[in-house]
Amino acid sequence: MADTSVITKTIAKVCLMIDMLYSIDLLLIGGNRPGGGFIGGVLCAAGIGLIYVAYGHDAIKKIWNPDWHMWFGYGLLFASITAWSPLFAGHKFFRSAFDFIPVEVGGIHLFELEMVSSMFFDLGVYFVVVGGLLFIVTKLGADKGPEGEHE
């Protein structure tokens, strides 16, 4: 395990929180502005990868050890279902639809929330990217190499 300072570990935690918030923001704005599942997933994987680097693969594995390849698989399944589902409604492949949902509290209209069906595709892409990148990071981090080999 790599010896890292308390400062490095603390900064890694702060960076993870900022990365996750911005990652979710990029995911949510993907239907209307630049961003989306891919870049949001890359940012999420970078934040979690930084935690792996700061704390070490073995220490993180004891606390949290998800199967990243399952994230990849479920994301691919979700994105595929989203892309193919318009065909069953008589529309073209990958057709996107949107609707505005009014948000009211106590009978007072606050705002309208725009729901875009491409958001679900972006969510699938997000999980594919996070799962794929972190699967690679964890496999590389777990590879110790031959004993006694130094670079």
Side-chain angles (χ1 to χ4, degrees):
M1 182 173 129
D3 288 328
T4 55
S5 69
V6 175
I7 296 172
T8 304
K9 291 178 181 181
T10 305
I11 290 174
K13 288 179 187 178
V14 171
C15 286
L16 177 65
M17 290 185 283
I18 294 168
D19 277 356
M20 296 307 289
L21 287 173
Y22 192 50
S23 169
I24 292 169
D25 179 57
L26 286 171
L27 173 66
L28 294 176
I29 67 168
N32 299 321
R33 294 188 307 252
F38 182 80
I39 193 64
V42 169
L43 192 59
C44 176
I48 296 172
L50 181 62
I51 293 293
Y52 275 108
V53 169
Y55 285 88
H57 181 264
D58 295 333
I60 299 299
K61 190 175 178 181
K62 291 176 188 174
I63 299 169
W64 190 50
N65 191 23
D67 291 329
W68 294 115
H69 65 281
M70 296 299 287
W71 283 50
F72 180 90
Y74 287 130
L76 189 60
L77 178 66
F78 195 70
S80 299
I81 289 171
T82 304
W84 286 93
S85 61
L87 291 174
F88 298 109
H91 299 290
K92 294 182 180 179
F93 177 73
F94 243 129
R95 180 181 182 268
S96 182
F98 69 93
D99 196 10
F100 293 98
I101 300 171
V103 176
E104 297 179 1
V105 175
I108 299 172
H109 177 77
L110 297 176
F111 59 91
E112 289 185 341
L113 182 64
E114 183 179 3
M115 295 297 291
V116 183
S117 65
S118 63
M119 174 64 196
F120 297 108
F121 179 77
D122 275 341
L123 186 62
V125 170
Y126 184 87
F127 282 109
V128 166
V129 172
V130 170
L133 289 177
L134 288 174
F135 177 77
I136 293 168
V137 166
T138 56
K139 291 303 172 190
L140 289 174
D143 185 20
K144 304 274 192 254
E147 289 298 319
E149 183 179 296
H150 300 284
E151 292 184 25

